[in-house]
Amino acid sequence: MLNQGIGSWPARRARKTPDRTALVHEDRTWTYRELHQRVLRLAHALRALGVERGHRIAYLGPNHPAFLETLFAAGALGAVFVPLNIRLAAPELAYGLSDSGSTVLVHAPEQADAARAAADRAGIGHRVALDGPGDGALGYEELLTAGGTDPLDETVAPEDPCMIMYTSGTTGRPKGAVLSHANITWNSVNVLVDTDLAADEVTLVVAPLFHTAGLNMTCLPTLLKGGRVVLLGAFDAERVLETIEDLHVTHLFAVPTMYDAMAALPRWATTDLSSLRTVSCGGAPVPTRTMDTYLTRGLAFSQGYGMTEASPGVLFLDKAQAAAKAGSAGVPHFFTDTRVVLPDGRDAEPGHRGEILVHGPNVMTGYWGRPADTEAALTDGHWLRTGDVARIDADGFAYIVDRVKDMFVSGGENVYPAEVEDVLLTHPAVSECAVIGIPDRTWGEVGRAVVVLKPGAVADEPDILGHLRGRLAKYKIPKSVVIADTLPRTASGKIIKPVVRDRYASAPTGHRPHP
């Protein structure tokens, strides 16, 4: 084939395993032959709308087969796919559409109002609605019906751009990481090598596809291998357990809060989880209590660390090493390399902290339309600066300590909030927490813990701070506690620290409900 990108994957799979189930969504299934035919029709339909090589095609909606069909159809044409976060408001969506220069927006019915407002504001040429034509939108299924089925094999090189995936944008405007077809392919190869995905894999994808972990760490590697992908539109702990049992799910990726929500259900102890071969986690370190809860059901976590700019896999900790290397993010993926460097650029010695840098065929080509940001992010044009602080042990295992920008200095000592948060989570009443630095006349900065209590639990500031004494050095212990109802999170489950700072840095201590 002339197409060496991921847009050729459905055709390649269809010629190898045409009758094997590729996708499951709600009560429907799609074989690899059916997926290929639908992608082919959509590609012809998009071409008829004027989409050409290099054009950008945006998608807005929860997990759905149309997300993947649009991604593959864009790749079949040499166009660039732009997934959008469904949690964004219309002006934020319009920014992504305008910044990427998208010409077509495909959207789900749940996002119709935001899609229409954003498309109008960004001047999108064509809006395509999954639920049919109307209100200025073309109908998705109608386009497929009218699309041709003639063979389509455009020349697409591995280094050509595949997608623009926007970072979370918790500080400043989001930046679009340009991921090439090679980036996505090598990341998938890394996953296949390190997690032993099998051809009979049944992968449950409940993390949002518009984020890199849900798409690139679970969904696409499974499709590359020829396994079955089960798509859920949104996370519901009860439904996840039900799906695992009913469809004999073998592979699940989620973030710690999702795993905790499942384990908190009454049916947790009785749900048949025997089909699960791999439970993997990312987005945040797995708390010890969560690991212990799953070990009682015979399930050990595979953990990882990554970022959008690395497609996203950087480090991986196999389940066999999860207990011996508890707290570690693992070693670099097979075809990826890392360094931990001091501020002067020298490599840090084992046990010493520094910024983690990443190099490999999965590292982005750059930020869309931002050459200065690209130059700042890619040291020597190759090594990606992550902005994360890590240390490496004597065996080469990396421990992510915190974000460079989240660290604060108290009395001349560096305080890494993630370390404090891990201990806070061992308090029996604490469900979630975030530690931030706030100004202090004596020490420069001191810690403040923002805590969410478990339902029905009771705890106050002296009790929570008392729990830390003897477990942490005195300078690491926060000087105040705010008890909140919720913590702000991204769609991938990460706590948004800048919002926590804005909301709680100057708030009185005690209980503070969500404003």
Side-chain angles (χ1 to χ4, degrees), residues 6-19:
I6 72 167
S8 69
W9 288 10
R12 295 176 187 275
R13 263 289 141 211
R15 73 186 181 187
K16 291 184 70 69
T17 55
D19 298 319

Side-chain angles (χ1 to χ4, degrees), residues 247-265:
L247 299 185
H248 307 292
V249 171
T250 63
H251 183 204
L252 173 66
F253 170 87
V255 297
T257 52
M258 294 178 178
Y259 284 114
D260 287 341
M262 288 186 280
L265 292 176

